Amino acid sequence: MRILAIESSCDETAVAVLSGQGDVLTLESSLVRSQIDIHQAYGGVVPEVAAREHLAYLFPMITQALADAQVSAADLDALAVTAGPGLAPALRVGVEAAKALAWAWHKPLIPVCHLEGHIYATWLDTLTPPQFPALALIVSGGHTELVLMRGHGSFERLGETIDDAAGEAFDKVAKMLGLPYPGGPQVEQLAKLGNPTAFSFPRALLDKSNLDFSFAGLKTSVLYKLRENEASLADAKFRADIAASFQEAVIDVLIKKTKRAIVEHSPKSIILAGGVAANTSLRTRLQTLGAEHQVDVHVPPFAYALDNAAMIAVAGYYRALAQNFIDPLVLSANPNLDLV
Ligand code: KG4
Ligand code: ZN
């Protein structure tokens, strides 16, 4: 079974070709074109600009992805596309393109949830994929969730953020520090030079017995600390200490809630998913947690931690095996699409 996948939910245009036989997956091509340089000037992603860029690059990239995989449209068994969640104008470009191609090429079409794609990034480049039940910690720019995956396509949400997402908090703190968008990688670099115990920022909801998260109070607390110390804002040590202490607070909460979920649900594997999975400290802390509880930890290869179409292709492949197709005429992009 060979799948062509399209991802255009935010500011990356991505196309991939993947073939699979049982659980053996071969990624035949994967292209990602980031628009970060364009959106940086605005301090964040401008949806209409993102859509225009997707439109300009998507079709040439589809042609290139097929060429890289050394296949033609006739060799494809199905098309997969991110149907949501994401920015409506951006999503629509990928979805409408996939619908048109599925219709013209007479191929089955598979709508994929972007978050499901992030989870399936851990199936790439590995001979030992996660085992079920798997506990997924999803940490992206728009989502922070703990999800129990009992099998392919079977998800139960155990907890989620009640306000900001973890990635969003990284982006906002970066902005406060005058760092460019996207802030996560910038804050991580700065944090490497700082002392994570220099400031004690709040760790919200740890005393609650649920698996929900909250990062809005932490963000505000960082803002107050910066305001109180305006004179030190240019001081490199102070800035690094703020970044390190903030990052430590986010990771502490993510790790403690994941630990609670492990104890409550005894998963066989832990999956780290979403853009914040690119954070090395989070990856390391999660690996340590897994070792303590004798649970395998699966982190996405760095190349597939951020938005890409290879992960959408894997999710699409397993949905195709379950015959989860949709009539191209009825599919529409859903900016609020949910995993469960
Ligand atoms: O999954 P993703 O690429 O896009 C969404 O689906 O949202 O995630 C992007 C988010 C941004 O908030 C970005 O700042 C964050 O992931 N991020 C990081 C790192 N790399 C990306 N956060 C912390 N540390 C990183 N190294
Ligand atoms: Zn994403």
Side-chain angles (χ1 to χ4, degrees):
M1 159 110 53
R2 180 177 283 112
I3 310 262
L4 179 126
I6 295 171
E7 153 68 39
S8 73
S9 65
C10 193
D11 59 346
E12 266 93 23
T13 317
V15 182
V17 176
L18 174 127
S19 67
Q21 208 161 30
D23 284 319
V24 180
L25 306 175
T26 309
L27 184 60
E28 298 180 327
S29 65
S30 175
L31 298 173
V32 180
R33 177 183 178 264
S34 169
Q35 305 168 4
I36 282 180
D37 291 355
I38 297 159
H39 298 286
Q40 249 166 6
Y42 305 96
V45 180
V46 183
E48 293 299 339
V49 174
R52 192 186 64 202
E53 292 293 313
H54 289 317
L55 205 49
Y57 285 88
L58 183 56
F59 281 101
M61 286 174 68
I62 290 170
T63 307
Q64 187 62 50
L66 289 171
D68 287 356
Q70 299 183 314
V71 297
S72 69
D75 302 313
L76 300 173
D77 297 295
L79 300 184
V81 64
T82 303
L87 305 170
L91 282 167
R92 236 177 262 135
V93 176
V95 167
E96 296 305 323
K99 284 164 66 174
L101 291 176
W103 185 80
W105 290 344
H106 304 286
K107 305 290 176 188
L109 180 61
I110 309 147
V112 173
C113 170
H114 182 77
L115 302 176
E116 185 170 332
H118 272 303
I119 288 174
Y120 274 101
T122 51
W123 265 256
L124 288 160
D125 277 357
T126 179
L127 295 173
T128 52
Q131 289 186 29
F132 303 122
L135 174 71
L137 172 65
I138 304 173
V139 272
S140 70
H143 293 79
T144 302
E145 302 185 5
L146 276 163
V147 169
L148 193 63
M149 190 177 180
R150 294 187 204 280
H152 291 296
S154 157
F155 304 98
E156 180 192 343
R157 187 186 299 111
L158 305 175
E160 64 185 323
T161 182
I162 58 169
D163 41 52
D164 292 355
E168 194 180 351
F170 268 95
D171 293 336
K172 286 179 178 166
V173 166
K175 213 169 206 172
M176 293 175 205
L177 288 166
L179 298 168
Y181 172 87
Q186 306 274 341
V187 171
E188 179 178 19
Q189 286 315 314
L190 194 55
K192 283 185 183 151
L193 311 169
N195 171 7
T197 59
F199 303 104
S200 120
F201 288 128
R203 275 100 168 127
L205 303 186
L206 282 188
D207 53 335
K208 295 270 184 296
S209 60
N210 61 27
L211 296 170
D212 288 338
F213 303 90
S214 163
F215 296 107
L218 167 60
K219 175 193 69 189
T220 311
S221 182
V222 172
L223 180 67
Y224 285 158
K225 187 61 73 186
L226 293 175
R227 279 197 190 147
E228 279 165 26
N229 296 278
E230 241 167 286
S232 310
L233 259 182
D235 180 68
K237 174 85 175 82
F238 172 76
R239 293 163 61 80
D241 284 349
I242 289 276
S245 303
F246 158 77
Q247 178 175 282
E248 189 77 355
V250 174
I251 296 177
D252 269 358
V253 173
L254 294 173
I255 293 297
K256 290 202 171 118
K257 291 279 176 169
T258 305
K259 182 184 169 101
R260 173 170 289 155
I262 295 172
V263 172
E264 286 177 10
H265 297 277
S266 309
K268 286 202 180 126
S269 303
I270 300 170
I271 294 170
L272 180 60
V276 186
N279 187 287
T280 309
S281 307
L282 174 60
R283 292 163 85 98
T284 309
R285 290 273 302 273
L286 202 64
Q287 299 278 12
T288 308
L289 178 71
E292 278 165 20
H293 292 265
Q294 280 118 37
V295 189
D296 287 346
V297 175
H298 299 258
V299 298
F302 277 111
Y304 306 112
L306 300 178
D307 290 349
N308 64 87
M311 67 188 196
I312 304 300
V314 183
Y317 170 72
Y318 282 104
R319 288 213 164 253
L321 289 186
Q323 302 279 309
N324 253 315
F325 302 122
I326 191 167
D327 179 345
L329 295 179
V330 305
L331 178 63
S332 56
N334 179 357
N336 302 313
L337 185 69
D338 223 334
L339 197 52
V340 282

